Amino acid sequence: MESSNWTEIEFILQGLSEYPKIEKLLFVLCLVMYLVILLGNSTLIILTLLDSHLHMPMYFFLGNLSFLDIWYTSSFIPSMLIHFLSEKKTISFTRCVIQMSVSFTMGSTECVLLAVMAYDRYVAICNPLRYSIIMSKTLCIQMAALSRGLGLLNSLIETVLAIRLPFCGKNIINHFVCEVLAFVKLACTDISLNETVIMLGNIIFLFSPLLLICISYIFILSTVLRINSVEGRKKAFSTCSAHMTVVIVFYGTILLMYMKPKSKDSAFNKLIALFYGIVTPMLNPVIYSLRNAEVHRAMRKLMRRHRFWRK
């Protein structure tokens, strides 16, 4: 297919077109959740930038995670909300590719960043005296940049392989959004290379970071169990609890998607995939602020400052 024909191609995002009432309900539900995502993650970013007590590696990476969640959800939720209320659910080739590549970049980056955050917790607990030396500002920036670079590289490879495919059918994507595997399955040619690359990408960007996270927490657990005082153990575990919860939610929903029994109800499968993409970014700021005294203190300080300027 010549690149000049790309502008002529349109895809139909099927979503739940056969259930218009459910789509109206989903519009309200997803809109509320998206607003919570924007508010919660934006608040965390603002707090980590403005409050000097949060100028630490842990909160630097947390700000990056919130940034990724905002961009990830913003790549598909606004257009999806429009499609929920529209009879015409078409998307151009260019917009579909942009949506697919941005969401894929952010998702891949988040996998790597979670491993980076686990390493940060490992250094903080297993080597506390040298924490500020090891986790220097330069290293933190380099690790965050590496996460984004790897995520972008993975997305670039899979996107380039996808857009070179010829499309000559009805181009109906059986999903709410332009998802890479659903996209390549519409091609009227052999897609074994694309499927292999997607599978390898999933292994590298899902399970390699998970392995590094598990190794980090094995060392953390070993160190914590050697602490004599109960109070010391509680304090050590509390510094990791938010990250562990985020990892469990993130990988738990992925495992739920891929290990659940195959359902003949495609609507159910699409809803599971949809809520995987929305629920995790919504829960991240809640998890990190729920039992975090430093975030609570920064929030109170920000609110007092806001009231002062209003006067």
Side-chain angles (χ1 to χ4, degrees), residues 184-249:
V184 300
K185 282 183 176 179
L186 297 178
C188 48
T189 187
D190 178 48
I191 59 168
S192 56
L193 175 62
N194 298 78
E195 291 178 326
T196 301
V197 171
I198 291 171
M199 182 186 68
L200 289 174
N202 288 339
I203 293 171
I204 293 170
F205 283 88
L206 285 175
F207 297 106
S208 296
L210 181 60
L211 177 62
L212 294 174
I213 291 168
C214 291
I215 292 171
S216 296
Y217 275 105
I218 288 171
F219 282 108
I220 288 171
L221 183 62
S222 174
T223 301
V224 170
L225 291 177
R226 289 200 298 268
I227 299 174
N228 293 325
S229 69
V230 176
E231 192 64 32
R233 290 182 185 179
K234 285 183 179 179
K235 186 177 180 181
F237 274 124
S238 68
T239 63
C240 301
S241 59
H243 179 260
M244 282 193 294
T245 306
V246 167
V247 169
I248 290 169
V249 170

Side-chain angles (χ1 to χ4, degrees), residues 18-285:
E18 63 273 30
Y19 305 108
K21 290 184 179 179
I22 294 179
E23 286 200 328
K24 300 294 186 297
L25 178 64
L26 284 175
F27 171 83
V28 176
L29 188 60
C30 291
L31 176 61
V32 171
M33 294 171 77
Y34 182 53
L35 293 175
V36 171
I37 289 168
L38 293 180
L39 179 62
N41 286 288
S42 298
T43 301
L44 274 181
I45 292 172
I46 292 169
L47 290 176
T48 57
L49 290 174
L50 296 183
D51 195 294
S52 58
H53 292 96
L54 300 183
H55 291 175
M56 297 186 292
M58 173 182 170
Y59 297 106
F60 170 75
F61 294 127
L62 178 56
N64 276 267
L65 183 67
S66 294
F67 174 84
L68 293 175
D69 285 338
I70 289 173
W71 273 91
Y72 172 72
T73 52
S74 296
S75 68
F76 68 90
I77 292 181
S79 62
M80 184 179 69
L81 292 175
I82 294 171
H83 288 152
F84 279 151
L85 300 180
S86 174
E87 291 185 6
K88 186 181 180 183
K89 303 179 187 295
T90 58
I91 185 170
S92 68
F93 181 91
T94 303
R95 283 180 55 214
C96 187
V97 169
I98 292 172
Q99 183 183 96
M100 184 172 61
S101 60
V102 171
S103 62
F104 214 84
T105 299
M106 299 302 135
S108 301
T109 303
E110 185 162 337
C111 292
V112 181
L113 188 64
L114 287 174
V116 169
M117 294 172 78
Y119 175 74
D120 170 68
R121 293 299 84 206
Y122 158 75
V123 177
I125 292 175
C126 299
N127 209 343
L129 298 179
R130 300 190 64 234
Y131 177 71
S132 58
I133 299 172
I134 296 173
M135 298 302 294
S136 64
K137 183 178 180 180
T138 302
L139 180 63
C140 290
I141 293 173
Q142 288 174 343
M143 293 172 82
L146 177 65
S147 301
R148 295 188 187 188
L150 291 173
L152 179 61
L153 178 63
N154 184 41
S155 174
L156 191 62
I157 291 171
E158 299 204 13
T159 302
V160 168
L161 287 174
I163 63 175
R164 57 180 277 278
L165 297 171
F167 298 92
C168 48
K170 293 181 179 180
N171 294 339
I172 299 175
I173 297 177
N174 189 25
H175 211 297
F176 296 102
V177 297
C178 287
E179 191 265 336
V180 63
L181 190 56
F183 180 88
V184 300
K185 282 183 176 179
L186 297 178
C188 48
T189 187
D190 178 48
I191 59 168
S192 56
L193 175 62
N194 298 78
E195 291 178 326
T196 301
V197 171
I198 291 171
M199 182 186 68
L200 289 174
N202 288 339
I203 293 171
I204 293 170
F205 283 88
L206 285 175
F207 297 106
S208 296
L210 181 60
L211 177 62
L212 294 174
I213 291 168
C214 291
I215 292 171
S216 296
Y217 275 105
I218 288 171
F219 282 108
I220 288 171
L221 183 62
S222 174
T223 301
V224 170
L225 291 177
R226 289 200 298 268
I227 299 174
N228 293 325
S229 69
V230 176
E231 192 64 32
R233 290 182 185 179
K234 285 183 179 179
K235 186 177 180 181
F237 274 124
S238 68
T239 63
C240 301
S241 59
H243 179 260
M244 282 193 294
T245 306
V246 167
V247 169
I248 290 169
V249 170
F250 183 80
Y251 280 99
T253 49
I254 291 174
L255 291 174
L256 176 65
M257 279 179 58
Y258 288 101
M259 296 183 68
K260 64 178 175 62
K262 293 292 182 181
S263 171
K264 294 181 180 179
D265 186 357
S266 64
F268 175 76
N269 294 331
K270 284 184 279 189
L271 286 172
I272 291 291
L274 172 64
F275 285 106
Y276 156 69
I278 299 179
V279 171
T280 304
M282 184 183 71
L283 289 179
N284 285 350

